[in-house]
Amino acid sequence: MTILVTGATGTVGRHVTEQLVRRGIAVRALTRNSERARTVLPAEAEIVVGDLMRPDTLREALRGVEAMFLIVSSDQPRADLNTDPRVVAMAAEAGVKRVVVLVGFEEGPVEQAVRESGMEWTLVKPVEFMANVLDDWAASIREEGVVRELNGNAPSARVHEGDIAAVAVEALLGDGHHGQSYVLTGPEVLTRVEAVEAIARGIGKDIRFEELTEEEARRKWRDQGYDEESVEFFVQMAFQPPASGHTVLPTVERVLGRPARTLAEWAAEHRHFLL
Ligand SMILES: NC(=O)c1ccc[n+]([C@@H]2O[C@H](COP(=O)([O-])OP(=O)(O)OC[C@H]3O[C@@H](n4cnc5c(N)ncnc54)[C@H](OP(=O)(O)O)[C@@H]3O)[C@@H](O)[C@H]2O)c1
């Protein structure tokens, strides 16, 4: 069986690709840049070029595929991914039987198309990724031993991106996941101050927390290249995070049969980026 992984070079997709390859599954990895993809993906993955915003570029990628991991957007600064919902009908027509969708902040037309597609489907809805630490905090931890952030009391049940991928892989390969909408959290709620303490424990190094004013935080995100909509979203997450973002659920453990990994474990795994 061949599985098409979209977003294969991204945070979650890279783990999905690696985990499927490790389980001996034939993976076709979609990218817009095959040269770059070759440097980050396992050699066993077949790399295929296509654009999720231009469904006509995906015919080759979908040929002979039985299941698909589908990404709908990216929240990297300056990313403009907005998957065309017609990709879903194309996949069904090409014979894809099962699709697992990494849902963005909320469901949209792609998820609607998946629900109506006739394929077996699972929606994966993670809260904040632990991997955001790499984009947001890693450089200042490494260089100055400090995290500068808005509202140190903001709570989050951050989830390990490898655990998100592991749930997606179970849904791609196992039975009993059709029609499920899995909200995925890590095993604990931590404020930003507590999250920094957990990272410090994980890597064995002291890290200071310095609280930014809202104005300073907005300036930092703009300087990093985020658009105004993203900046508003980050401010909202700091002061009015939705309860779902800081309510621990047992879903990861239920699907995987092992506990979700902690932020301290994540930090220890990523210590080479943080020290
Ligand atoms: N970060 C969080 O805390 C968080 C929380 C909940 C949900 N999410 C959701 O998770 C998703 C992001 O997942 P991620 O972080 O794993 O992805 P990511 O690291 O942002 O990577 C995006 C991927 O999409 C691919 N891509 C971008 N534009 C494309 C296009 N036009 N056609 C085909 N591929 C394209 C890129 O591949 P190439 O460059 O190789 O083409 C890359 O592999 C978003 O929907 C986000 O809303 C994120």
Side-chain angles (χ1 to χ4, degrees), residues 1-5 15-28 65-69 97-101 120-122 124 164-178 182 255-256:
M1 108 140 137
T2 298
I3 295 187
L4 177 66
V5 178
H15 283 274
V16 172
T17 302
E18 281 165 10
Q19 291 177 26
L20 287 170
V21 163
R22 238 182 284 137
R23 286 171 75 155
I25 305 293
V27 175
R28 193 172 290 163
V65 165
E66 272 162 64
M68 170 166 76
F69 174 73
K97 302 274 178 297
R98 185 176 282 191
V99 58
V100 175
V101 184
E120 289 182 33
W121 57 266
T122 308
V124 173
I164 304 168
V167 169
V169 164
E170 275 314 311
L172 286 164
L173 300 179
D175 292 326
H177 304 291
H178 171 48
Y182 289 137
V255 174
L256 301 181

Side-chain angles (χ1 to χ4, degrees), residues 62-243:
L62 286 165
R63 200 185 304 274
V65 165
E66 272 162 64
M68 170 166 76
F69 174 73
L70 182 60
I71 184 170
V72 292
S73 62
S74 164
D75 35 29
Q76 293 297 314
R78 301 185 189 85
D80 67 348
L81 173 59
N82 199 355
T83 295
D84 189 319
R86 286 176 297 173
V87 170
V88 176
M90 268 184 74
E93 272 163 37
V96 177
K97 302 274 178 297
R98 185 176 282 191
V99 58
V100 175
V101 184
L102 176 59
V103 177
F105 182 63
E106 52 192 18
E107 289 189 36
V110 171
E111 289 82 356
Q112 185 64 28
V114 163
R115 286 174 182 276
E116 294 165 358
S117 66
M119 293 186 281
E120 289 182 33
W121 57 266
T122 308
L123 304 183
V124 173
K125 299 181 172 180
V127 301
E128 186 179 0
F129 297 178
M130 290 179 182
N132 292 353
V133 167
L134 295 177
D135 293 330
D136 301 343
W137 297 350
S140 68
I141 290 176
R142 225 174 23 238
E143 289 156 20
E144 303 169 76
V146 67
V147 166
R148 298 186 184 88
E149 193 44 284
L150 185 58
N151 191 12
N153 291 324
S156 174
R158 290 177 183 78
V159 60
H160 193 306
E161 56 282 0
D163 286 349
I164 304 168
V167 169
V169 164
E170 275 314 311
L172 286 164
L173 300 179
D175 292 326
H177 304 291
H178 171 48
Q180 298 291 331
S181 213
Y182 289 137
V183 177
L184 304 180
T185 74
E188 58 194 346
V189 178
L190 301 174
T191 65
R192 290 173 178 184
V193 169
E194 290 167 340
V196 170
E197 288 165 1
I199 294 166
R201 273 199 311 282
I203 62 173
K205 166 184 164 173
D206 286 341
I207 308 172
R208 275 186 345 273
F209 184 92
E210 284 179 16
E211 190 157 283
L212 296 178
T213 64
E214 187 175 326
E215 202 186 319
E216 288 166 337
R218 284 178 183 273
R219 195 175 323 124
K220 179 185 84 167
W221 290 318
R222 284 186 195 119
D223 290 348
Q224 288 173 340
Y226 288 104
D227 59 24
E228 282 310 305
E229 197 186 334
S230 302
V231 171
E232 285 311 320
F233 177 75
F234 297 150
V235 172
Q236 196 195 332
M237 288 300 118
F239 292 115
Q240 292 144 338

